[in-house]
Amino acid sequence: MSVLAQPHASVDPVTVEIVRNGLFAVTEEMKTNLMRTAYNLIIYEALDFTVGLFTVEGETVSIGLGLPMFIRGMSETVKAKIRHFGLENIHPGDILVTNDAYTTGSHLNHFTFTMPVFHEGEIIGFTCCMAHWLDVGGTLGQVTTDIFSEGIQIPIVKYRKQGVVNQDLVDIIAMNVRLPERAMGDLRAQITAVTTGERRFLELVQRYGAAEVKASIAQIMDQSEAVARQNTLSIPDGTYEAESYMDDDGVEVGKRIPIRVKVIKQGDEMTIDLSDVSRQVRGFYNSGFTTGIACAQVAYKCLTTPTDYPVNDGSFRPLKVIMPMGTVISAERPFPMRVWMTFPMTVIDTIFKALATAIPDRVIAGHHADLVFPNIHGISPEDGRLFIVGIGPLGGGWGAKSSEDGVSVTVCINDGDTHNSPTEQLEAKYPVLVEKYAIRDDSSGAGRQRGGLGAEMIVQALSPFSVTTRIDRVHCKPWGLHGGGEAAGNGIAIRKKGEWNSDMPNAKIFNVRLERGDAYKMMSGGGGGFGNPAERDAALVAEDVREGYVSAEVAREIYRVALLADGAVDTEATRSLRGTADHAS
């Protein structure tokens, strides 16, 4: 049993709340300083990173709001570093690093730095920062089929030993990446984040006392656990199952990849069984076991403690995860991991789907569940140097709930606090022209509550570059619940010499070269609807048509709402279409 799970001294509630907000403030300052010092858009604009504080055992104390899927990977990486060195071999001034995909659960792009926090000669915790490096070497733009082709692998080592930087390690990393000055800039930014966390956490301890802070953390975790158990109790006992699928793994095109989940609820505890999720695949859509656990934890937190902060391990004590090794969310070496983030989104979607009959008021319909994120690279016409950039995430529709419509053009569930790429930044830094970025009409799933809408983005090449996309959920469209309709899926199209081509088996394209004036079009899916579309308030349907969200044809054929020439509801015709006066308003 963890030290923090054992009986502990009581602390007055005022101190506990001060410490709670102090922990949250520490990780938010870590986050801010990383953003201010990073070199790449994917960190300082897209916010593809997470920072955190951890106990001396590696349990999560506070995570700066960021990517939900890092919730387990960071903690398990800290624990792996503790196991590797032993606490007795970790000293003041040390900073530990790895990007091992099978430890972090994600791809090699995620370099993870961890720093011990010492107080009066004793380790009292750890700070950690996991952030996405734009390039880590490896094959550029193609489907990878093993980890060795995906870039440099750094085992668990010390980047800094008692304050002295391991320059040999730095030189090895710099030689293995295409844009070393960018990589080294992001490395220094991550060091800024972990040292900020160390300094601020120490200030908190020095101000309130190590014993009081430790006891406060224990109480915070206990409180999170209590809330999770209470809300779990409100879910009817039973076994709930659901399934969905992914389009393919990019290698065996058209071969569906099954996603099956089982949720077992008993009393104040829940078990999420992921045993029947597909075995690991040849293409690069696998993720490690920590991501599989994170799938269950993200879904469970959404259902039981969605507003409980800071995010900590107490929330997950009532949750058990069953998952064998060797699946697409628990892959083993040397299976590829580069696009680790895609399949887990649908796993989470499917967990919600399984519970739709048990707690219809607390789940959402399916969402677009993909980054919808192209990578482009080419030679800059300004300085003749290689450029690499990821544009997005595009944002798409989320599923409707029993009580409200789904949100539109919002990043997928695993992305949390990430942002899209500002058009002005893209056009200033790279040879691209954003011709269009707009809501995609009729992309939402129809329902009593309408799903959110997706987006459409057209990007023109101002000089030649190659574009790669790894988009899924084209064929497995976001599903509706309780009579709601499915939404449009994700998509891609390419324009060459003025002609558009969207006739592709999926939305995965690799190193497609675009000449000046050519373009690509990204299309994100919508969110599924909730409830019978014919029960939607007719006035809301009319408003959707006025806003351009829903066409008049869909309003009539699916929602059974007739409109007058001025866009107002034709009450009599709507009553006739719906066969009752009850739904027209």
Side-chain angles (χ1 to χ4, degrees), residues 230-238 240 263 265 270 272 299-305 351-365 400-403 481-482 530:
Q230 185 63 37
N231 287 329
T232 302
L233 275 172
S234 66
I235 301 171
D237 285 353
Y240 309 98
V263 180
K265 159 59 178 47
M270 179 181 289
I272 295 179
Y300 183 71
K301 182 164 179 61
C302 288
L303 295 169
T304 60
T305 56
I351 293 171
F352 292 146
K353 184 180 183 181
L355 289 165
T357 57
I359 45 173
D361 59 325
R362 285 154 66 179
V363 297
I364 64 171
K401 299 192 292 187
S402 64
S403 59
L481 294 177
H482 297 282
F530 197 108

Side-chain angles (χ1 to χ4, degrees), residues 151-484:
I152 186 171
Q153 298 183 69
I154 303 298
I156 296 173
V157 295
K158 291 187 179 182
Y159 161 78
R160 200 172 79 180
K161 186 174 183 179
Q162 298 184 55
V164 179
V165 172
N166 183 346
Q167 190 59 44
D168 291 341
L169 173 64
V170 174
D171 292 343
I172 290 170
I173 294 172
M175 184 172 282
N176 281 274
V177 297
R178 294 178 177 86
L179 303 171
E181 68 281 2
R182 297 288 183 115
M184 295 303 104
D186 289 341
L187 183 155
R188 292 190 294 271
Q190 288 188 260
I191 301 305
T192 297
V194 295
T195 54
T196 296
E198 180 215 25
R199 182 173 67 254
R200 295 306 192 199
F201 186 53
L202 270 178
E203 289 174 0
L204 190 68
V205 168
Q206 290 163 353
R207 182 167 185 176
Y208 295 102
E212 287 75 12
V213 169
K214 181 178 179 180
S216 295
I217 289 170
Q219 286 198 30
I220 290 166
M221 288 190 174
D222 288 349
Q223 291 165 2
S224 296
E225 177 186 3
V227 173
R229 289 191 182 278
Q230 185 63 37
N231 287 329
T232 302
L233 275 172
S234 66
I235 301 171
D237 285 353
T239 299
Y240 309 98
E241 300 181 55
E243 63 180 83
S244 60
Y245 65 91
M246 308 305 299
D247 294 344
D248 58 56
D249 69 349
V251 175
E252 297 182 79
V253 176
K255 182 181 178 180
R256 291 183 176 183
I257 299 162
I259 305 292
R260 301 185 184 94
V261 306
K262 181 186 296 184
V263 180
I264 303 152
K265 159 59 178 47
Q266 184 66 44
D268 63 357
E269 296 188 344
M270 179 181 289
T271 298
I272 295 179
D273 187 345
L274 303 175
S275 301
D276 288 334
V277 171
S278 169
R279 298 296 296 173
Q280 53 203 2
V281 293
R282 289 177 58 205
F284 50 22
Y285 289 90
N286 302 290
S287 53
F289 81 99
T290 62
T291 296
I293 297 171
C295 289
Q297 290 189 338
V298 170
Y300 183 71
K301 182 164 179 61
C302 288
L303 295 169
T304 60
T305 56
T307 59
D308 187 78
Y309 298 114
V311 177
N312 65 80
D313 275 351
S315 299
F316 307 114
R317 289 175 184 164
L319 174 67
K320 178 182 179 183
V321 183
I322 299 174
M323 182 182 62
M325 293 300 293
T327 73
V328 290
I329 49 173
S330 59
E332 298 176 288
R333 192 178 301 275
F335 278 80
M337 309 266 277
R338 180 171 281 175
V339 193
W340 72 283
M341 73 297 290
T342 297
F343 287 9
M345 305 180 202
T346 296
V347 173
I348 295 173
D349 249 10
T350 311
I351 293 171
F352 292 146
K353 184 180 183 181
L355 289 165
T357 57
I359 45 173
D361 59 325
R362 285 154 66 179
V363 297
I364 64 171
H367 80 311
H368 68 290
D370 197 286
L371 294 176
V372 195
F373 184 97
N375 288 92
I376 65 174
H377 68 273
I379 302 300
S380 171
E382 292 188 359
D383 58 15
R385 302 183 67 187
L386 172 72
F387 69 87
I388 304 172
V389 61
I391 298 180
L394 185 60
W398 279 52
K401 299 192 292 187
S402 64
S403 59
E404 60 187 89
D405 293 346
V407 294
S408 300
V409 194
T410 301
V411 296
C412 46
I413 193 166
N414 294 15
D415 275 12
D417 197 32
T418 55
H419 298 175
N420 61 7
S421 306
T423 296
E424 296 80 5
Q425 288 258 23
L426 291 171
E427 293 182 338
K429 293 176 181 290
Y430 305 102
V432 300
L433 173 67
V434 178
E435 295 182 6
K436 180 182 181 180
Y437 192 0
I439 285 178
R440 188 181 173 195
D441 62 339
D442 281 338
S443 57
S444 62
R448 183 179 68 251
Q449 305 297 336
R450 173 182 51 74
L453 291 110
E456 179 180 307
M457 185 180 194
I458 300 176
V459 176
Q460 180 189 146
L462 298 183
S463 73
F465 62 69
S466 296
V467 59
T468 293
T469 65
R470 297 104 171 220
I471 302 167
D472 207 278
R473 292 292 291 274
V474 175
H475 303 296
C476 180
K477 298 179 180 180
W479 51 80
L481 294 177
H482 297 282

Side-chain angles (χ1 to χ4, degrees), residues 530-562:
F530 197 108
N532 185 351
E535 295 177 359
R536 184 168 177 79
D537 187 324
L540 293 178
V541 177
E543 177 66 17
D544 286 342
V545 174
R546 282 194 294 271
E547 293 289 345
Y549 300 159
V550 173
S551 65
E553 292 76 14
V554 167
R556 184 179 184 88
E557 297 301 321
I558 305 300
Y559 288 97
R560 316 300 289 171
V561 173

Side-chain angles (χ1 to χ4, degrees), residues 54 74 77-78 81 94-98 112-116 126-129 194:
F54 300 85
M74 288 181 67
T77 301
V78 173
K81 291 173 178 176
D94 286 356
I95 296 179
L96 320 176
V97 64
T98 187
T112 305
F113 291 85
T114 304
M115 187 174 191
F126 292 90
T127 65
C128 190
C129 174
V194 295

